[in-house]
Amino acid sequence: MFNPSSDDVRRFFCEAYRKQQAHEILTPIETMAADWIRHHPEYHDVLGDVETALTRDYQVEGAQANPFLHLSMHLSIDEQISIDQPPGIRALATELTLKLDDAHAAQHEIMECLGEMIWNAQRSGTPPDAVAYLEAIRRRL
C-alpha cells in the first residue's frame, strides 16, 4: 500500500504545479491535481515554492486552510466518484453537481462531509462510517 509522507504529498503537488506552469507532460494523477490547482489560485504562491511548502505549518487554530490537505481531498473525492465507493457516491455527486450547477462547489460540499466523517472516526477511534458520510451528502441535496 502506498503511504506517502507529508513531504511527499507537498512535493507531488508542487511538482504538478511546476510542470503545469512549464507546459510539461503530466502523468494522469498529476493532470487531475493540476486541474484542481487551477481551481485554487490562492494556493499558487505556496505551490510555486517547494522549500516554503515543506516547512510551512498549517494550524487549525489559526484558521489557515492547508492547501495540500484540501487538494488531496479533491483527489480522494475524484477517486471515490470514479469507482463509486462508497456505493452511491457517484449518483449523489452527480445530483449535487446538477443542483449547484458547479462541480467544484459540489466537491466542496462533499469535502465538508468527508472531513466530518474522518473527524468523527478519529475522535471515536472507530472506522470511517460510509453510511453516515453518504447521508451527510444527501442532506446537502
Side-chain angles (χ1 to χ4, degrees), residues 11-23 26 30 33-34 37-38 40-41 43-49 71:
R11 282 188 185 95
F12 165 76
F13 283 110
C14 290
E15 180 65 4
Y17 179 66
R18 185 198 67 73
K19 287 170 78 173
Q20 175 192 43
Q21 294 302 109
H23 305 287
L26 299 163
E30 287 171 336
I37 289 167
R38 266 192 295 278
H40 289 284
Y43 299 155
H44 292 180
D45 285 345
V46 72
L47 293 169
D49 182 351
L71 293 168

Side-chain angles (χ1 to χ4, degrees), residues 5-133:
S5 70
S6 174
D7 284 355
D8 293 336
V9 170
R10 290 174 183 223
R11 282 188 185 95
F12 165 76
F13 283 110
C14 290
E15 180 65 4
Y17 179 66
R18 185 198 67 73
K19 287 170 78 173
Q20 175 192 43
Q21 294 302 109
H23 305 287
E24 294 179 12
I25 296 172
L26 299 163
T27 66
I29 190 74
E30 287 171 336
T31 300
M32 291 171 64
D35 186 47
W36 289 116
I37 289 167
R38 266 192 295 278
H39 282 59
H40 289 284
E42 69 274 21
Y43 299 155
H44 292 180
D45 285 345
V46 72
L47 293 169
D49 182 351
V50 178
E51 293 310 312
T52 298
L54 292 174
T55 59
R56 187 148 178 208
D57 189 23
Y58 297 93
Q59 295 294 321
V60 174
E61 297 81 21
Q64 288 183 308
N66 180 330
F68 306 101
L69 175 60
H70 187 89
L71 293 168
S72 293
M73 288 179 79
H74 272 303
L75 291 181
S76 294
I77 293 166
D78 276 348
E79 177 69 8
Q80 291 173 358
I81 292 167
S82 77
I83 63 172
D84 198 29
Q85 185 61 35
I89 193 164
R90 182 183 299 141
L92 289 171
T94 299
E95 193 173 345
L96 191 55
T97 297
L98 291 171
K99 176 186 176 193
L100 299 175
D101 194 30
D102 184 340
H104 188 217
Q107 275 240 350
H108 279 209
E109 292 292 321
I110 294 168
M111 191 178 295
E112 289 294 322
C113 300
L114 178 60
E116 179 183 334
M117 178 190 64
I118 293 168
W119 184 81
N120 284 331
Q122 289 175 337
R123 186 183 63 168
S124 66
T126 59
D129 185 345
V131 173
Y133 175 44

